[in-house]
């Protein structure tokens, strides 16, 4: 810890600046420039070739420019570098596929309707020790909220939290999750764009600290069959004129109810964006506190949307579907505009549940108008194609996103065929571990 504390005290001045953006999957990409070029990166931008970035341009036409957003500048003391997020331009105009640009456009639209969105995430992850093969070793045997776990995990968790403020994140709660070696660290909510940046920074810190301890942190939605998955529940609220638009006279406002209705209406198509990997659908199965049925309720953790108890201006909804494999920029844009659609059309939320949805039989669910989330990435992509609101929320990224994801789905189908596995298998395959375990 000594080296770190010296570094955190700012003894190492950054000599390089990392220019960070994300690809279509939300994976951070970028280049480093000598710190002296910072001003140039803000004012003129730095040109780069985007042809090999997953989901970006083809090679015929790949000249892009990264312009730093100075409000995101942060120093990474333990590496002696600085980091900055930014927007991507092409031919002098915002590049439509840039996920950060997509979210900016969505929040601008929301602003024109009078709203600002705040989002607080609950990212979950596993810490693994890898044995050289895919045989994964769980270094800690704790369970939900265990404080003492006879291993280093809690120290690692605290160390992660100690690094977070350097990148502008305010850690709020650290705890052991249900799975062995599964953890959660919640950090302070912020406006949608800042929270999306924070999620990218958070994963970066978690992985870096885990690595220092010879561990590997994975945010893969379902790393092990039979164990709880990694969710990334989102607490969302809308504000208008500096006041919560979700607080009504006796509880939730009409606006909040319409927002819930909008999300429920678009939930199937949203899944393609909030749960965008083959592995995501191995998590969305009964028995692990992950949602399966499209419903909402107060406090009810079996529902897709839960309204936590609140005081004062703290009204918010908890959307339980998203997982950490989502590109946070695209996922937020899609969720917010789906909710806004509900507000504009004054939709009323159906499928209200107070009891455990998993204990109902099919007939009861149908009777209450409770539908089911897509069972696979393939199904979710079909839903996305049919949903104009969610498609439009993805703006210029929609075409590239679908094309990229279709390829991913087809590659998986080919793998299943070659292994003679059924298409609806809920087991976690080697194909998934190879593709998602590290990113
Ligand atoms: N790990 C669960 C999920 O996949 C969530 C557990 C919890 O309620 O925090 O969503
Ligand atoms: Mg949790």
């Amino acid at each position: 810890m000594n080296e770190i504390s010296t570094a955190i005290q700012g003894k190492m001045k950054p000599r390089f600046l990392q220019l960070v953006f994300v690809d279509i999957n939300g994976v951070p990409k970028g280049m480093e420039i000598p710190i002296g070029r910072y001003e140039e990166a803000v004012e003129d931008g730095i040109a780069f070739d985007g042809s090999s970035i997953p989901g970006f341009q083809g090679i015929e036409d790949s000249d892009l420019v990264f312009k730093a957003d100075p409000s995101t500048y942060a120093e990474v003391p333990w590496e002696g570098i600085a980091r900055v997020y930014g927007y991507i331009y092409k031919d002098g105009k915002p590049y439509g596929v840039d996920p950060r640009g997509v979210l900016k456009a969505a929040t601008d639209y929301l602003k024109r309707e009078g709203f600002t969105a705040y989002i607080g995430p609950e990212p979950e992850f596993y810490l693994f020790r890898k044995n050289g093969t895919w045989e994964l070793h769980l270094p800690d045997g704790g369970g939900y909220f265990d404080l003492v776990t006879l291993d280093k995990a809690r120290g690692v968790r605290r160390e992660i939290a100690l690094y977070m403020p350097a990148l502008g994140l305010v850690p709020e709660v650290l705890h052991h999750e249900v799975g062995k070696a599964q953890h959660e660290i919640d950090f302070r909510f912020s406006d949608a764009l800042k929270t999306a940046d924070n999620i990218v920074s958070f994963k970066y810190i978690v992985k870096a600290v885990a690595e220092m301890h010879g561990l590997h942190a994975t945010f893969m939605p379902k790393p092990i069959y039979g164990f709880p998955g990694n969710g990334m529940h989102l607490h969302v609220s809308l504000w208008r004129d500096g006041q919560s638009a979700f607080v009504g006279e006796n509880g939730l406002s009409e606006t909040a109810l319409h927002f819930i209705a909008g999300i429920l209406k678009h939930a199937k198509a949203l899944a393609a964006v909030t749960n965008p990997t083959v592995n995501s659908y191995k998590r969305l199965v009964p028995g692990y506190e992950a949602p399966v049925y499209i419903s909402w309720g107060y406090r009810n953790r079996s529902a897709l949307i839960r309204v936590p108890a609140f005081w004062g201006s703290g009204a918010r909804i908890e959307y339980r579907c998203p997982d950490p494999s989502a590109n946070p920029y695209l996922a937020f844009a899609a969720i917010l505009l789906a909710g806004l659609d509900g507000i504009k059309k004054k939709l009323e939320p159906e499928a209200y549940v107070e009891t455990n949805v998993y204990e109902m039989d099919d007939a009861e669910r149908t009777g209450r108008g409770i539908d089911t989330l897509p069972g696979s990435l393939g199904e979710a992509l079909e839903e996305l194609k049919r949903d104009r609101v969610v498609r439009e929320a993805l703006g210029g990224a929609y075409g590239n996103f679908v094309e990229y994801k279709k390829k991913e789905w087809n590659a998986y189908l080919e793998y299943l065929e070659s292994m003679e596995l059924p298409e609806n298998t809920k087991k976690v395959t080697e194909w998934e571990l190879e593709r998602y375990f590290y990113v």
Side-chain angles (χ1 to χ4, degrees), residues 122 124 126 144 175 177-179 182 184 221-222 228-233 283-284 288-291 301 306 318 320-323:
E122 294 184 14
E124 298 173 336
Y126 275 88
Y144 191 67
H175 70 83
E177 253 304 337
V178 177
Q182 191 188 26
E184 177 177 318
K222 188 85 169 181
N230 286 322
M232 187 173 69
H233 308 167
R283 166 179 168 254
L284 301 177
Y288 302 93
E289 294 184 72
R301 283 188 160 76
R306 182 175 86 88
E318 176 184 340
R320 294 178 63 84
C321 200
D323 69 54

Side-chain angles (χ1 to χ4, degrees), residues 295-298 349-354 368 370:
S295 58
W296 75 286
Y298 290 92
E350 287 164 22
Y352 174 73
V353 285
E354 269 177 2
R368 289 164 167 256
I370 300 173

Side-chain angles (χ1 to χ4, degrees), residues 81-237:
I81 57 155
R83 247 166 139 249
V84 72
Y85 292 92
Y87 295 107
I88 301 174
Y89 289 79
K90 181 172 185 297
D91 303 327
K93 290 192 289 282
Y95 172 47
V97 188
D98 171 23
R100 199 165 185 271
V102 170
L103 179 56
K104 175 78 169 52
T107 54
D108 283 350
Y109 177 36
L110 214 60
K111 206 159 274 169
R112 287 196 298 278
E113 299 290 327
F115 297 112
T116 306
Y118 291 94
I119 301 183
E122 294 184 14
E124 298 173 336
F125 58 92
Y126 275 88
L127 289 173
F128 280 107
R129 190 163 283 139
K130 191 165 168 285
N131 288 340
T133 64
W134 289 117
E135 216 182 294
L136 302 170
H137 174 67
L138 296 165
D140 118 58
Y144 191 67
F145 266 55
D146 273 342
L147 286 176
V148 180
T149 49
L150 301 179
D151 60 32
K152 296 192 303 183
R154 59 192 188 278
V156 174
R157 214 164 51 213
R158 286 178 202 142
E159 208 171 305
I160 292 167
L162 288 176
Y163 278 87
M164 288 165 67
L167 295 196
L169 285 79
V170 183
E172 288 195 327
V173 178
L174 301 72
H175 70 83
H176 205 291
E177 253 304 337
V178 177
K180 288 178 179 155
Q182 191 188 26
H183 302 272
E184 177 177 318
I185 300 177
D186 304 333
F187 50 89
R188 171 103 35 96
F189 72 93
S190 204
D191 64 82
L193 191 64
K194 175 89 178 113
T195 295
D197 290 345
N198 283 347
I199 289 172
V200 178
S201 303
F202 176 72
K203 291 186 191 167
Y204 166 82
I205 299 169
V206 171
K207 282 173 189 271
V209 176
E211 205 179 288
M212 292 175 203
H213 291 273
L215 300 172
H216 174 69
T218 188
F219 289 90
M220 184 175 174
K222 188 85 169 181
I224 320 172
Y225 177 74
F227 277 63
N230 286 322
M232 187 173 69
H233 308 167
L234 299 175
H235 292 253
V236 186
S237 64

Side-chain angles (χ1 to χ4, degrees), residues 47-78:
F48 69 100
D49 169 7
S51 58
S52 297
I53 304 292
F56 279 23
Q57 300 293 131
I59 35 174
E60 335 62 76
D61 183 20
S62 59
D63 287 334
L64 301 174
V65 171
F66 175 97
K67 270 197 187 173
D69 173 350
S71 71
T72 67
Y73 178 90
E75 295 182 356
V76 188
W78 63 91

Side-chain angles (χ1 to χ4, degrees), residues 334-345:
I335 291 168
L336 294 174
L337 296 194
L340 184 66
D341 184 53
I343 296 175
K344 292 181 107 172
K345 297 195 176 121

